[in-house]
Amino acid sequence: MAINSPLVSVVMTTYNHEKYIAEAIDSVLNQTFTNFELIIINDGSSDRTDEIIKSFLHDQRIVYIHQDNQGTSIAINNGILTAKGKYIALFSGDDICDHQRLEKQYSFISSSNFKYKIVFSGFDVIDDHGNILVDNFLNNWFIQQHKSRTEIVNLFFFKGNCLNAITAFLEKQLILDIGLFNLTS
């Protein structure tokens, strides 16, 4: 890795998020962890999303990709292929990133002695004004006392899977090794 390469690449996809994109970008730029690049992939927005993103391009941490609308999987893949960081943090242009997200996820994954290659986090569901509607409801899913790995997998398959992709933090090489995101889903 080159000396000036970021450690983390935040891959933010967006489509017609003019109402939220400025706050989403600010929430990444104001992270307590600072060794990152922000790759924004505008998937062919037809509203003012492009104009708003361009107002942030003075920040040299931002890499901007504007593409014709091709869907989220292609947008994410384009971001990952552009990324210079060892780690990828997925994000969306209509969400707000906790200001310690990158610091906490990097600290956890790097202190695991390579035990973990991907981590997810909880999230709060908020309204257009930032009011919490559902407070980290995932706690009930993941705090499962005395359940085997098989029981947890069965819980995911038969009750539902609540892993939120935009909270993923993973080694870039891991996603490259499996062939990126499936374009048919």
Side-chain angles (χ1 to χ4, degrees):
M1 189 178 321
I3 293 173
N4 293 327
S5 290
L7 189 56
V8 175
S9 298
V10 178
V11 175
M12 176 191 290
T13 57
T14 186
Y15 176 75
N16 287 345
H17 290 147
E18 76 175 86
K19 187 173 180 179
Y20 310 104
I21 191 70
E23 191 172 9
I25 293 170
D26 276 334
S27 74
V28 175
L29 296 179
N30 292 311
Q31 290 290 297
T32 56
F33 183 93
T34 58
N35 189 0
F36 69 88
E37 67 179 342
L38 171 57
I39 302 168
I40 304 170
I41 306 93
N42 182 350
D43 191 31
S45 296
S46 59
D47 61 3
R48 292 184 52 248
T49 299
D50 180 64
E51 175 187 336
I52 296 166
I53 293 169
K54 286 180 178 175
S55 73
F56 285 90
L57 295 184
H58 61 277
D59 191 309
Q60 295 184 1
R61 296 174 292 178
I62 298 176
V63 176
Y64 182 43
I65 299 169
H66 187 279
Q67 64 184 34
D68 291 336
N69 183 262
Q70 299 174 61
T72 304
S73 293
I74 290 175
I76 292 172
N77 288 346
N78 287 338
I80 291 168
L81 292 171
T82 302
K84 294 183 179 111
K86 177 180 179 178
Y87 298 98
I88 300 290
L90 298 181
F91 197 55
S92 177
D94 64 345
D95 291 313
I96 301 170
C97 196
D98 181 272
H99 71 283
Q100 291 183 310
R101 175 198 173 179
L102 299 179
E103 178 182 356
K104 287 180 177 181
Q105 288 184 313
Y106 173 73
S107 177
F108 181 82
I109 210 166
S110 65
S111 68
S112 72
N113 293 325
F114 306 107
K115 181 178 179 181
Y116 302 110
K117 303 253 183 212
I118 182 169
V119 296
F120 294 88
S121 68
F123 59 92
D124 296 326
V125 178
I126 60 173
D127 65 15
D128 286 348
H129 307 289
N131 300 310
I132 296 175
L133 301 175
V134 180
D135 186 11
N136 202 351
F137 73 94
L138 292 181
N139 282 341
N140 293 331
W141 282 86
F142 294 109
I143 300 176
Q144 299 285 331
Q145 300 296 324
H146 311 293
K147 290 208 183 288
S148 70
R149 201 177 275 188
T150 300
E151 289 172 314
I152 295 291
V153 170
N154 282 331
L155 179 70
F156 277 175
F157 279 109
F158 297 115
K159 190 172 179 187
N161 181 344
C162 287
L163 294 177
N164 190 341
I166 62 160
T167 70
F169 187 99
L170 65 149
E171 289 185 15
K172 177 182 175 182
Q173 193 59 50
L174 179 66
I175 195 83
L176 293 175
D177 289 348
I178 63 168
L180 298 168
F181 277 73
N182 184 339
L183 301 182
T184 61
S185 56

